[in-house]
């Protein structure tokens, strides 16, 4: 377990020279791919800078990436989302990526981020975090029945001093997209 933690820590700290740029590129691409996965490739994703939110227990300025994809079921969360090298994208060229690292890029910048997802009538709120094992874990904070459409929102805390860097990184990452994201704040 110690060796695995060290390997993942090296991946997080050394693989991404520009954590803000990597997060914006990778998470935005994953959101766009989620829309494509369910035939909503012409539906723009939403990217927002959001203020602290007491209801979600988020005390930091954050950036969120929101899609209308399939959502992340508990099984998919276990099998793919935080499992390094696991990917649902290798069998086609329709999606960006395929190495199974993109969903983990927030860990290059922060030790904690939120995943709010709706899958088949159930809304899940997860907390992704780095603990003493340094591997990365997910805890389910809440579950509730809902009539909301499927989709996922990834919320990554941002230091106020880095806000402009994240804003510029979003623009750079999505400049050449056919379907531009909806940008807020």
């Amino acid at each position: 377990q110690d060796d695995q933690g060290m390997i993942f820590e090296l991946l997080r700290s050394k693989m991404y020279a520009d954590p803000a740029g990597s997060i914006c590129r990778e998470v935005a691409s994953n959101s766009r791919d989620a829309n494509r996965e369910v035939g909503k490739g012409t539906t723009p994703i939403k990217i927002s800078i959001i203020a602290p939110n007491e209801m979600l227990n988020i005390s930091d300025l954050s950036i969120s990436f929101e899609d209308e994809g399939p959502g992340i079921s508990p099984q998919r969360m276990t099998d793919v989302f935080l499992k390094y090298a696991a990917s649902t994208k290798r069998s086609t060229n329709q999606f960006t990526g395929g190495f199974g690292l993109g969903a983990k890029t927030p860990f290059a910048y922060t030790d904690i981020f939120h995943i709010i997802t709706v899958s088949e009538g159930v809304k899940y709120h997860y907390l992704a975090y780095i603990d003493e094992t340094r591997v990365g874990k997910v805890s389910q904070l809440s579950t509730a029945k809902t009539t909301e459409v499927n989709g996922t929102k990834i919320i990554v805390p941002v230091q106020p001093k880095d806000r402009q860097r994240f804003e510029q990184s979003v623009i750079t990452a999505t400049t050449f997209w056919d379907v531009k994201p909806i940008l807020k704040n």
Side-chain angles (χ1 to χ4, degrees):
Q1 187 77 350
D2 270 354
D3 291 343
Q4 196 176 36
M6 183 187 70
I7 290 166
F8 294 139
E9 193 168 288
L10 280 170
L11 272 174
R12 286 189 297 273
S13 65
K14 305 293 183 208
M15 191 167 149
Y16 301 110
D18 174 15
S22 299
I23 291 166
C24 292
R25 180 183 62 251
E26 299 292 338
V27 180
S29 293
N30 283 352
S31 295
R32 178 179 62 172
D33 286 347
N35 281 0
R36 289 175 174 172
E37 184 178 337
V38 296
K40 292 185 175 183
T42 59
T43 300
I45 66 167
K46 297 176 184 120
I47 303 174
S48 306
I49 297 288
I50 56 176
N53 185 323
E54 286 183 32
M55 279 182 48
L56 294 176
N57 196 24
I58 298 171
S59 60
D60 300 310
L61 181 71
S62 302
I63 186 167
S64 72
F65 303 83
E66 188 172 358
D67 64 59
E68 294 181 23
I72 304 171
S73 67
Q75 187 66 43
R76 191 169 189 169
M77 182 66 74
T78 301
D79 293 346
V80 179
F81 191 83
L82 279 181
K83 194 172 183 183
Y84 285 84
S87 177
T88 60
K89 301 178 183 182
R90 290 197 186 106
S91 61
T92 178
N93 287 329
Q94 179 185 359
F95 306 120
T96 307
F99 295 110
L101 300 173
K104 295 82 171 172
T105 55
F107 285 141
Y109 179 80
T110 184
D111 287 349
I112 190 167
F113 63 98
H114 293 259
I115 305 147
I116 299 170
T117 188
V118 175
S119 177
E120 305 306 324
V122 181
K123 185 174 191 173
Y124 304 93
H125 182 174
Y126 295 98
L127 184 67
Y129 61 96
I130 300 293
D131 67 357
E132 66 279 351
T133 67
R134 301 179 294 170
V135 174
K137 295 193 177 190
V138 175
S139 289
Q140 187 175 307
L141 300 180
S142 66
T143 303
K145 295 274 187 198
T146 185
T147 58
E148 295 176 55
V149 298
N150 286 352
T152 299
K153 181 187 277 191
I154 306 294
I155 304 170
V156 181
V158 172
Q159 296 296 316
K161 68 180 178 57
D162 295 332
R163 179 182 180 146
Q164 194 171 24
R165 176 73 187 120
F166 274 88
E167 290 173 353
Q168 184 58 49
S169 294
V170 163
I171 292 166
T172 300
T174 62
T175 293
F176 298 107
W177 285 15
D178 292 339
V179 178
K180 301 287 188 222
I182 296 169
L183 304 176
K184 294 182 180 176
N185 301 329

